[in-house]
Amino acid sequence: MRKKNAKILSGGGAKSDVGYFIEPTFIETKDPNYRLLCEEIFGPVVTAYVYPDDKWEETLQLVDRTSPYALTGAVFANDRAAVRQALCVLRNAAGNFYINDKPTGAVVGQQPFGGARGSGTNDKAGSKLNLVRWVNARTIKETFVPPREFGYPFMKEA
């Protein structure tokens, strides 16, 4: 089935006889600004835009500026430099970010979960790591006996 600027490769049906059911749907578009790539969709719908191989850097920038939402993201790559580059460029593009793994949500009780940008207020439920959002960690060291030497033993002459 072909819609304007997109092609449904799988699924696409909807039933309203019992609740509201949307079949798992996979859509391909050649338009990097296609509506389904820009909106936050809560349903079994995945939209893919296949970018040209030589446009990796431009595509990262495109992903970063495409949507005001930033719930969950993922990158799949064998090239560690590409992964590091994606982590850097997309640092604000997702509240949870996965590398070579399915982006289906946080591990409950083990990692904070929440979106960024228009998707929420950062971490919500999750582990005790959530507390880090609310505090400023600080280390304090107090010495009661002042040092008498400032050298290190391994730097002494033999």
Side-chain angles (χ1 to χ4, degrees):
M1 177 191 266
R2 184 169 276 292
K3 301 277 185 182
K4 184 179 179 185
N5 297 327
K7 180 180 178 183
I8 296 174
L9 300 179
S10 177
K15 297 178 183 177
S16 62
D17 53 339
V18 179
Y20 189 76
F21 177 79
I22 299 173
E23 292 177 339
T25 304
F26 183 57
I27 300 166
E28 179 185 22
T29 182
K30 300 206 182 298
D31 176 4
N33 296 303
Y34 187 63
R35 178 179 171 189
L36 295 181
L37 292 173
C38 303
E39 295 181 358
E40 207 168 48
I41 299 172
F42 294 95
V45 178
V46 173
T47 305
Y49 164 71
V50 180
Y51 65 91
D53 285 341
D54 62 343
K55 300 288 185 190
W56 169 245
E57 292 179 18
E58 293 91 335
T59 302
L60 288 176
Q61 297 296 328
L62 174 72
V63 169
D64 186 49
R65 70 175 182 267
T66 291
S67 178
Y69 303 105
L71 188 57
T72 301
V75 64
F76 292 83
N78 291 324
D79 182 345
R80 292 305 300 170
V83 168
R84 283 191 304 274
Q85 186 178 22
L87 285 172
C88 181
V89 174
L90 302 175
R91 67 186 168 275
N92 297 312
N96 280 345
F97 195 76
Y98 297 85
I99 301 167
N100 295 328
D101 198 7
K102 57 186 178 10
T104 56
V107 179
V108 176
Q110 295 182 23
Q111 77 186 76
F113 177 78
R117 296 182 180 166
S119 295
T121 55
N122 295 318
D123 302 337
K124 294 171 185 66
S127 72
K128 57 189 170 190
L129 291 174
N130 186 17
L131 293 174
V132 173
R133 293 282 188 183
W134 305 99
V135 300
N136 291 321
R138 185 168 76 159
T139 301
I140 299 172
K141 179 183 181 220
E142 183 175 359
T143 301
F144 293 102
V145 179
R148 298 186 194 278
E149 285 187 42
F150 296 96
Y152 293 96
F154 68 88
M155 297 176 81
K156 290 183 178 179
E157 291 184 31

